[in-house]
Amino acid sequence: MKEIYEFISEVQLKKYAELAVRAGVNLQKNQLLIIHSDIQNATFARLIQTVAYESGASDVFIDWTDEQSTKEFYLHAADSAIDHFPDWKAARFKEWDDAGAAYIHIISENLDVFKEVPAERISRFQKASRTKLSDYYAKIRSHEIRWCLLAVPYAAWATKVFPDLSKEEAVQSLWKLILKGSRADGGKSYK
């Protein structure tokens, strides 16, 4: 199977990145940008970083995640770790929020990766994180923080949406839908 990004042209991917930076979060000159991305989307996260710097970002920090590592955490971490969201993680969000950061979240989860994980462990950790990040989420809900979500196809997701197509055709089709739905498929430039 080809890499996910082989099914989209560099021009289309750059338009999607520009849309996120210039319209999605309306990044301002000298503003900090935080990109939350799984490591499988490094190609796109780095492109967004480049576009953000070209748009005048003061700094761009990529907050990497890895769903396989997260799965191992949920399966094997001590109960005390599952029920605790560290202060240092919450402090990062406070510092970013105080600096007026904008946030871009790249979502491309493999929906089946956590099927072996007891739902109550995920729920307990999410409750702990929501409690520690309550100020951050309140700012999101009140629109004090600029943020946007960007979807990137994942092969398993694409084949669920298009079960009658090959993996390659399903990924291509899902890319087309994502770009059309986000209006990143047209000729408009977001400069």
Side-chain angles (χ1 to χ4, degrees), residues 116-164:
E116 301 165 27
V117 177
E120 60 88 18
R121 286 180 66 84
I122 295 172
S123 178
R124 285 170 39 208
F125 184 74
Q126 288 175 341
K127 180 181 178 186
S129 67
R130 280 192 310 269
T131 300
K132 285 279 180 82
L133 297 176
S134 61
D135 290 342
Y136 166 75
Y137 289 119
K139 289 178 181 178
I140 291 275
R141 285 189 304 275
S142 68
H143 306 287
E144 289 179 55
I145 293 175
R146 295 180 186 158
W147 65 279
C148 75
L149 298 174
L150 300 176
V152 171
Y154 189 83
W157 174 29
T159 56
K160 284 183 181 186
V161 175
F162 299 102
D164 298 330

Side-chain angles (χ1 to χ4, degrees), residues 3-154:
E3 293 290 321
I4 295 298
Y5 295 98
E6 292 181 48
F7 296 103
I8 183 172
S9 73
E10 287 180 39
V11 170
Q12 288 175 307
L13 195 60
K14 184 155 186 185
K15 282 183 187 272
Y16 195 28
E18 289 173 348
L19 174 72
V21 170
R22 298 192 176 112
V25 295
N26 188 22
L27 189 74
Q28 301 298 299
K29 187 168 177 58
N30 295 317
Q31 186 174 19
L32 171 64
L33 178 65
I34 308 300
I35 301 169
H36 297 288
S37 176
D38 189 276
I39 58 174
Q40 72 183 0
N41 290 304
T43 298
F44 190 37
R46 291 180 185 127
L47 179 58
I48 293 169
Q49 180 182 41
T50 299
V51 169
Y53 280 128
E54 290 171 353
S55 299
S58 62
D59 193 8
V60 179
F61 178 77
I62 303 178
D63 187 26
W64 298 110
T65 60
D66 173 31
E67 63 187 15
Q68 292 301 318
S69 296
T70 303
K71 174 185 171 183
E72 290 300 312
F73 167 77
Y74 285 139
L75 285 173
H76 305 293
D79 283 342
S80 59
I82 292 291
D83 294 323
H84 176 71
F85 191 80
D87 290 338
W88 67 265
K89 285 186 177 183
R92 291 183 326 153
F93 281 88
K94 181 173 180 355
E95 185 171 333
W96 294 336
D97 294 350
D98 290 348
Y103 297 85
I104 293 176
H105 300 265
I106 301 171
I107 55 172
S108 182
E109 288 84 11
N110 174 354
L111 303 176
D112 295 328
V113 77
F114 298 119
K115 68 183 175 189
E116 301 165 27
V117 177
E120 60 88 18
R121 286 180 66 84
I122 295 172
S123 178
R124 285 170 39 208
F125 184 74
Q126 288 175 341
K127 180 181 178 186
S129 67
R130 280 192 310 269
T131 300
K132 285 279 180 82
L133 297 176
S134 61
D135 290 342
Y136 166 75
Y137 289 119
K139 289 178 181 178
I140 291 275
R141 285 189 304 275
S142 68
H143 306 287
E144 289 179 55
I145 293 175
R146 295 180 186 158
W147 65 279
C148 75
L149 298 174
L150 300 176
V152 171
Y154 189 83

